């Protein structure tokens, strides 16, 4: 039960952080949802650091990893929102922003996971 509570609290905290970042950075006039993009990149970086530390000499406990990686990062990152926003870009015929947003999210997201893991080595 303790582990479920840790994931629940972490997820709620991550969701609030995502909401606040998206509220201030997403703008319907720019075409690209910068808040969601920022959250996905930061979430990728954070999970890289968290899991890197967890793997490095068991620096983090299982409960800490559940709270931070599964809970916070799970609530913070927004892949379902990312997928929906891409649908909206495609439906509106905004293929250039769709391409920039999708490719940028994947490439930079992967790079930031690797960067987080590298930093913790």
């Amino acid at each position: 039960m303790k582990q479920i509570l840790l994931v629940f609290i972490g997820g709620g905290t991550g969701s609030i952080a995502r909401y606040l970042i998206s509220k201030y950075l997403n703008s319907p006039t720019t075409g690209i949802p910068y808040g969601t993009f920022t959250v996905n990149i930061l979430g990728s970086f954070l999970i890289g650091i968290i899991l890197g530390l967890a793997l490095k000499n068991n620096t983090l406990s299982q409960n800490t990893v559940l709270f931070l990686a599964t809970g916070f990062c799970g609530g913070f990152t927004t892949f379902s929102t990312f997928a929906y926003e891409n649908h909206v870009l495609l439906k509106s015929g905004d293929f250039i922003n769709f391409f920039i947003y999708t490719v940028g999210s994947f490439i930079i997201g992967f790079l930031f996971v690797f960067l987080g893991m590298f930093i913790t080595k």
Side-chain angles (χ1 to χ4, degrees), residues 13-23 35 39 74-78 81:
T13 305
S15 294
I16 291 168
R18 178 187 69 225
Y19 167 75
L20 293 173
I21 290 170
S22 293
K23 179 180 177 181
V39 164
F76 185 63
T77 57
T78 57
T81 302

Side-chain angles (χ1 to χ4, degrees), residues 14-81:
S15 294
I16 291 168
R18 178 187 69 225
Y19 167 75
L20 293 173
I21 290 170
S22 293
K23 179 180 177 181
Y24 291 105
L25 294 181
N26 280 356
S27 170
T29 59
T30 62
I32 294 178
Y34 290 107
T36 304
F37 180 78
T38 300
V39 164
N40 285 335
I41 299 308
L42 285 176
S44 296
F45 182 61
L46 287 174
I47 206 163
I49 288 176
I50 293 161
L51 296 178
L53 288 173
L55 292 171
K56 181 181 181 180
N57 302 324
N58 294 324
T59 314
L60 299 177
S61 71
Q62 181 183 6
N63 284 340
T64 302
V65 172
L66 279 174
F67 175 75
L68 293 173
T70 306
F72 183 83
C73 287
F76 185 63
T77 57
T78 57
F79 195 78
S80 59
T81 302

